């Protein structure tokens, strides 16, 4: 699905911190957490793995068809907000 | 959760460490080559390899100094840290 | 001028370029396969296919035109055998659970991922473990030389596919390059086109990604993997020419053996690994001439290339504002990466090389090693992905 800029302001329901972990762990953990959450909730993932933000997360979320928003909070540090829609 | 920290000093010391490692490796090449039977290198090879190890060791330390100046004298690294606008252009999204 | 000085200096520059291509292009085999398995995304794979395709074609042309004669080109050929299959499985599982391949770990470690430093230490430990315990205890070289005739070492030119197929014909390397390289390049181009078409359909606009932009050159944004792949091919060609024109010996890229050299450099003040092989030779290997540590010279061009790759990757990570000292939240990851590193190191040694030395260089050498390495590598990475999904 789409990158949704409005998600940037939404308060997340759950937070996931995957500092220092490389792929595939950030995506795998986010996917597992998303499965446990209920529809309509927003997950905030904190990661410092640029390759995950550029490649792995967008391709996974496009397949899942969830809207997301990436914010660069500092050099090499990102927050991804994902809304579970289905 | 926002941890805005600049760790470039660490990377700069990495580069300096690679330089030191290269110079250190150059100093033990001939010691390691002694007593070898099969993969023994000739004297010319050892001296040539030694020279280039030392040259690149100093180049890395030079690069580390340049990056250090860039970081702490010209402060450009800190300016980048302020750049926190949204969106890092993931390659794959729909408008 | 000392030819070795010129060779090593040029290869050092190539190493810096290699580091830039790795770090900026995110050229990691694990990332590529994971993206395919989890989401069917081929962006990184396209870069790797470009690297393979362009370099194989270039090597075929160079060898066919006789710019680098075949007898020089085959000097560095790694022979293929069953150990490629076994080693690749272990190696693939190891890199899968670490999340970085032998070359990907360089840019990860160089941009501050502590868990990949842990993987590197695991590889260093695994290399020693293999050389001094597994190798002599299992009589490894004997098994390489004397088992499964149709899958064992063939000396020198008999493992050179153009010779196998076309004898001594000058156009042999070119035709083989056209088959293998052409396949990689066409597959890469096709996947790119398919991905663009898919995104275009979803967005309802003509979607295209530039291969190179100003922002990439200013380190503002990462390189497209295809640019990374192009730089990979350039590095392989520079290394081949630099080594041939200086010391008259063709060199191919490799990352595994350099890690063994690092072991000896690090341990040199305490123990000389190159010489300590002697007693093992006498007690365990009566018929076999030497252990791997004894065969390899104290410095090969690739040792230097790897050091420069680390430096190149760190420099661009700092310039791109991506360097960060990253410590994983779960300290368990250190253990996992160390264990994965040991598997990686042992697997790479069994297969006589890693995803660069055996897989890519295998294709560049027109040896079957690359083809044999691939299936179990992918299987190992797939198992590791499933394992991680199960555990975490």
């Amino acid at each position: 699905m789409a990158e949704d800029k409005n998600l940037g302001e939404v308060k997340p329901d759950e937070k996931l911190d995957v500092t220092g972990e490389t792929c595939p762990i950030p995506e795998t953990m986010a996917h597992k957490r998303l499965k446990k959450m209920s529809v309509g909730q927003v997950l905030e993932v904190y990661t410092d793995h640029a390759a995950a933000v550029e490649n792995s997360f967008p391709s996974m979320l496009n397949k899942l068809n969830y809207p997301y928003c990436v914010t660069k909070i500092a050099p090499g540090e990102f927050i991804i907000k994902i809304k579970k829609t289905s | 959760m926002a941890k805005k920290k600049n760790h470039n000093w660490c990377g700069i010391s990495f580069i300096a460490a690679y330089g030191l490692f290269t110079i250190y490796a150059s100093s033990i090449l001939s010691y390691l080559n002694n007593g070898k039977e099969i993969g023994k290198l000739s004297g010319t090879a050892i001296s040539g390899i030694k020279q280039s190890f030392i040259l690149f060791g100093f180049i890395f330390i030079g690069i580390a100094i340049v990056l250090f100046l860039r970081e702490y004298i010209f402060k450009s690294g800190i300016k980048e840290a302020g750049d926190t606008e949204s969106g890092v252009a993931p390659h794959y999204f729909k408008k | 001028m000392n030819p070795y000085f010129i060779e090593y200096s040029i290869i050092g520059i190539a190493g810096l370029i290699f580091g830039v291509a790795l770090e900026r292009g995110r050229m990691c085999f694990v990332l590529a396969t994971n993206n395919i398995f989890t989401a069917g995304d081929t962006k990184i794979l396209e870069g790797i296919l470009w690297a393979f395709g362009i370099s194989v074609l270039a090597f075929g042309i160079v060898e066919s035109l006789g710019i680098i004669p075949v007898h020089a080109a085959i000097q560095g050929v790694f022979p293929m055998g069953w150990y490629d299959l076994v080693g690749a499985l272990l190696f693939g599982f190891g890199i899968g659970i670490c999340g970085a391949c032998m070359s990907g770990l360089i840019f990860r470690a160089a941009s501050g991922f502590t868990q990949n430093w842990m993987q590197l230490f695991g590889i260093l430990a695994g290399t020693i473990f293999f050389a001094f315990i597994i190798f002599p205890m299992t009589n490894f070289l004997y098994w390489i030389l004397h088992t499964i005739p149709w899958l064992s070492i063939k000396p020198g030119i008999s493992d050179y596919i153009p010779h196998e197929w076309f004898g001594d014909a000058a156009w042999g390397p070119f035709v083989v390059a056209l088959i293998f390289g052409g396949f990689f390049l066409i597959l890469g181009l096709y996947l790119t086109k398919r991905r663009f078409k898919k995104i275009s359909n979803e967005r309802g606009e003509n979607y295209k990604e530039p291969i190179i932009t100003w922002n990439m050159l200013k380190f503002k944004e990462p390189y497209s993997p295809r640019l990374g792949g192009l730089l990979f091919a350039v590095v392989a060609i520079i290394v081949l020419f630099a080594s041939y024109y200086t010391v008259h010996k063709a060199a191919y890229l490799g990352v595994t053996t350099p890690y063994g050299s690092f072991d000896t450099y690090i341990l040199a003040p305490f123990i000389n690994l190159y010489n300590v092989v002697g007693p093992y030779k006498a007690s365990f290997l009566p018929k076999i001439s030497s252990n791997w540590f004894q065969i390899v010279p104290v410095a090969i061009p690739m040792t230097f290339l790897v050091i420069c790759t680390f430096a190149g990757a760190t420099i661009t990570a700092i310039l791109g504002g991506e360097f960060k000292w990253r410590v994983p939240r779960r300290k368990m990851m250190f253990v996992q990466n160390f264990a994965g590193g040991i598997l990686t190191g042992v697997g790479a040694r069994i297969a006589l090389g890693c995803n660069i030395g055996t897989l890519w260089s295998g294709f560049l050498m027109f040896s079957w090693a690359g083809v044999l390495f691939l299936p179990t590598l992918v299987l190992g990475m797939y198992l590791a992905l499933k394992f991680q999904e199960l555990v975490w």
Side-chain angles (χ1 to χ4, degrees):
Chain A
M1 191 33 208
E3 194 183 43
D4 185 353
K5 294 265 187 228
N6 302 329
L7 268 181
E9 306 301 319
V10 176
K11 206 171 174 295
D13 299 291
E14 293 206 30
K15 285 184 180 182
L16 177 66
D17 188 347
V18 284
T19 314
E21 317 234 5
T22 53
C23 48
I25 295 174
E27 309 91 88
T28 312
M29 287 179 78
H31 193 191
K32 280 198 169 175
R33 185 66 76 83
L34 281 168
K35 271 187 195 162
K36 284 184 201 153
M37 289 164 53
S38 48
V39 175
Q41 282 189 313
V42 175
L43 173 69
E44 180 184 284
V45 183
Y46 174 88
T47 181
D48 50 11
H49 189 214
V53 177
E54 286 151 15
N55 295 299
S56 316
F57 267 106
S59 47
M60 180 189 84
L61 295 171
N62 278 303
K63 204 183 171 201
L64 290 171
N65 221 358
Y66 293 164
Y68 62 93
C69 173
V70 179
T71 316
K72 186 178 182 181
I73 56 169
E77 292 177 49
F78 309 94
I79 280 180
I80 308 165
K81 285 184 182 164
I82 307 162
K83 189 171 190 182
K84 183 167 178 172
T85 48
S86 56
Chain B
M1 213 186 267
K3 313 166 196 171
K4 288 180 195 171
K5 262 191 197 155
N6 190 333
H7 289 177
N8 281 355
W9 59 270
C10 184
I12 292 164
S13 31
F14 269 14
I15 297 172
Y18 304 145
L20 291 174
F21 181 79
T22 317
I23 292 169
Y24 155 75
S26 78
S27 70
I28 53 168
L29 280 177
S30 49
Y31 157 69
L32 290 172
N33 200 37
N34 283 341
K36 269 184 73 72
E37 287 158 31
I38 295 157
K40 196 173 171 95
L41 293 170
S42 64
T44 335
I46 288 289
S47 69
I49 295 167
K50 214 177 206 175
Q51 285 167 14
S52 59
F53 269 43
I54 292 172
L55 172 70
F56 271 75
F58 282 113
I59 289 176
F60 292 160
I61 292 171
I63 291 172
I65 293 169
V66 170
L67 287 172
F68 183 85
L69 294 177
R70 170 186 173 271
E71 191 66 32
Y72 294 103
I73 310 292
F74 304 108
K75 310 267 181 199
S76 55
I78 292 160
K79 212 168 84 189
E80 273 162 25
D83 171 25
T84 58
E85 64 199 82
S86 164
V88 283
H91 69 283
Y92 190 52
F93 59 82
K94 201 159 67 175
K95 267 180 195 162
Chain C
M1 277 274 249
N2 191 323
Y4 288 89
F5 173 71
I6 302 170
E7 183 197 16
Y8 274 65
S9 301
I10 297 172
I11 285 179
I13 295 163
L16 289 171
I17 302 172
F18 194 50
V20 174
L22 273 170
E23 204 278 330
R24 293 279 91 194
R26 319 273 184 247
M27 301 287 282
C28 177
F29 286 62
V30 181
L31 190 58
T33 37
N34 282 345
N35 282 356
I36 296 165
F37 288 142
T38 53
D41 180 79
T42 55
K43 193 185 181 194
I44 310 276
L45 182 73
E46 287 156 21
I48 293 172
L49 287 171
W50 272 49
F52 279 36
I54 295 169
S55 53
V56 169
L57 281 172
F59 274 50
I61 292 168
V62 164
E63 284 172 28
S64 273
L65 292 178
I67 301 171
I68 292 191
V70 169
H71 69 83
I74 59 162
Q75 274 177 1
V77 168
F78 293 164
M80 62 88 189
W82 57 269
Y83 45 86
D84 282 327
L85 294 169
V86 178
L89 185 65
L90 276 179
F91 178 78
F93 192 78
I95 63 174
I97 64 174
C98 294
C101 64
M102 212 70 147
S103 50
L105 107 88
I106 298 178
F107 90 75
R108 299 268 164 71
S111 52
F113 280 93
T114 43
Q115 60 170 12
N116 291 104
W117 282 104
M118 217 55 209
Q119 184 191 1
L120 180 64
F121 296 143
I123 292 173
L124 294 182
T127 308
I128 293 183
F129 182 64
F130 175 80
F132 292 95
I133 296 171
I134 300 178
F135 188 95
M137 291 291 182
T138 56
N139 230 349
F140 186 73
L141 207 59
Y142 176 84
W143 292 106
I144 283 190
L145 294 170
H146 295 103
T147 43
I148 324 182
W150 49 276
L151 264 184
S152 65
I153 282 191
K154 292 183 241 154
I157 197 157
S158 13
D159 198 32
Y160 185 68
I161 299 176
H163 179 81
E164 226 173 292
W165 286 357
F166 306 113
D168 294 327
W171 42 267
F174 179 69
V175 175
V176 175
L178 210 58
I179 295 168
F180 284 99
F183 170 75
F184 289 133
L185 203 56
I186 289 169
L187 184 64
L189 292 171
Y190 166 74
L191 288 175
T192 311
K193 209 176 164 192
R194 204 186 67 156
R195 189 163 58 86
F196 287 174
K197 205 173 161 192
K198 199 173 140 203
I199 303 172
S200 300
N201 282 345
E202 281 173 13
R203 294 200 200 166
E205 59 173 354
N206 197 6
Y207 179 83
K208 270 204 173 69
E209 272 169 31
I211 293 178
I212 185 164
T213 61
W214 267 115
N215 276 345
M216 287 180 192
L217 294 180
K218 286 191 285 185
F219 302 117
K220 284 257 160 53
E221 54 183 60
Y223 289 0
S224 65
R226 286 169 294 156
L227 179 60
L230 201 64
L231 288 175
F232 263 47
V234 169
V235 169
I237 294 162
I238 292 177
V239 167
L240 183 76
F241 276 104
S243 52
Y244 179 69
Y245 280 112
T246 50
V247 297
H248 308 292
K249 200 179 160 192
Y252 296 92
L253 289 173
V255 179
T256 308
T257 311
Y259 288 145
S261 299
F262 293 158
D263 271 333
T264 47
Y265 293 159
I266 292 166
L267 296 176
F270 315 104
I271 183 172
N272 185 343
L273 289 178
Y274 283 117
N275 283 340
V276 91
V277 179
Y280 281 89
K281 196 170 64 182
S283 56
F284 291 104
L285 303 167
K287 288 179 196 160
I288 292 158
S289 57
S290 64
N291 190 328
W292 162 76
F293 259 107
Q294 197 31 269
I295 300 170
V296 176
V298 290
I300 57 168
M302 293 313 121
T303 313
F304 196 46
L305 182 113
V306 172
I307 300 176
C308 293
T309 309
F310 268 99
T314 312
I315 292 165
T316 49
I318 293 175
L319 292 178
E322 264 167 30
F323 189 92
K324 194 177 171 303
W325 186 244
R326 299 155 162 111
V327 184
R329 190 131 299 225
R330 298 171 304 152
K331 297 292 175 278
M332 189 60 202
M333 293 313 295
F334 282 135
V335 181
Q336 184 185 325
N337 273 268
F338 190 72
I342 291 177
L343 278 179
T344 316
V346 172
R349 279 269 47 102
I350 291 177
L352 307 184
C354 58
N355 56 318
I356 301 291
T358 302
L359 183 63
W360 182 24
S361 292
F363 283 115
L364 294 181
M365 294 162 186
F366 303 113
S367 152
W368 287 108
V371 184
L372 277 180
F373 197 80
L374 195 57
T376 43
L377 175 74
V378 176
L379 177 68
M381 283 197 266
Y382 180 76
L383 291 177
L385 183 68
K386 289 291 146 200
F387 172 78
Q388 301 227 69
E389 279 175 0
L390 208 70
V391 174
W392 302 128

